[in-house]
Amino acid sequence: MKFFDRALMLAGLIFVSANSLFAQDSVRFQNISFDEAVAKAKKYNKVVFVDVQMATPRPDNLQADKDVFTTDSVVRYFNDHCISIKMNMTTEEGKKFAPHLAMLMYPAYVFYAGNGDQLDFTNAGSVVKDPGILMTKARSSMAVAKVKNDNKRSITFTESNWAAVLAQAKKEHKLVFVDAYTQWCRPCIMMAKDVFTLDIVADFYNKNFINVSLDMEKGEGPALAKKYSVNAYPSFLYINGDGKLVSRDGGYQEADKFIDAGKKAIGN
């Protein structure tokens, strides 16, 4: 009996150990807040991965948990490079997190840099159909996070009123660059976070323009939107010191295209 009992005990230990090992063979989601996750990502040079859900996970999310987040390559990469958390948007923590979605619909999988900037996103439906999407998004997010870490400057926007801005432009013989945006415009938010914060962009625009960022629904925005026929966001206006529109562009743009728009405005 003693031998039999010991054998049963050993078998039980093996079973428990095997189950424990199996339970760890998945992406580790930490039970911490978004702010704590961002702090850890910054400290350890990682990105934050947020599984944004409603109170009840959808079937695609459950399938991704079962089939994708247990894949060896995904497990290794995410556990090595990401601080992963789940966010229930029906909770108080979810409501606090909502502004970080930058108008993005959910459920979604979202990546963030160590400064809290949104990097990339996808959803469970896409990931279940093509698991490679998740790894592509994770790797691209790590690459963008590195760029953000390496860039320290951003476009400097003046706080002066419109009349003072035109007077300054005239005095300094520069054009005014107007970032015409609205708070509900997702491309506007992403330009501010991902493009205006690049050194190469900041250096060019700070050197060549008097920069103004205007909410087209507040303050002097509505009048200027009417004057310059702004009806899509973001719109980029290049205006001389006399208030004349010299050039215009708009929409989300990568750095090189955005700089080209500025060069076109100043005739280079």
Side-chain angles (χ1 to χ4, degrees), residues 47-95:
V47 297
V48 177
F49 173 67
V50 186
D51 179 358
V52 187
Q53 298 186 9
M54 298 296 289
T56 303
R58 293 185 177 181
D60 284 342
N61 290 92
L62 295 175
Q63 187 175 349
D65 286 345
K66 178 177 177 292
D67 298 336
V68 181
F69 292 150
T70 56
T71 303
D72 288 346
S73 58
V74 173
V75 172
R76 285 195 301 270
Y77 193 89
F78 273 66
N79 289 345
D80 286 345
H81 299 287
C82 304
I83 305 298
S84 302
I85 63 173
K86 291 181 181 288
M87 187 63 64
N88 180 347
M89 295 303 293
T90 65
T91 65
E92 288 303 314
E93 183 67 23
K95 293 175 184 177

Side-chain angles (χ1 to χ4, degrees), residues 3-19:
F3 174 79
F4 183 70
D5 288 343
R6 285 198 298 273
L8 282 176
M9 183 180 295
L10 180 60
L13 288 172
I14 293 173
F15 178 77
V16 170
S17 298
N19 275 339

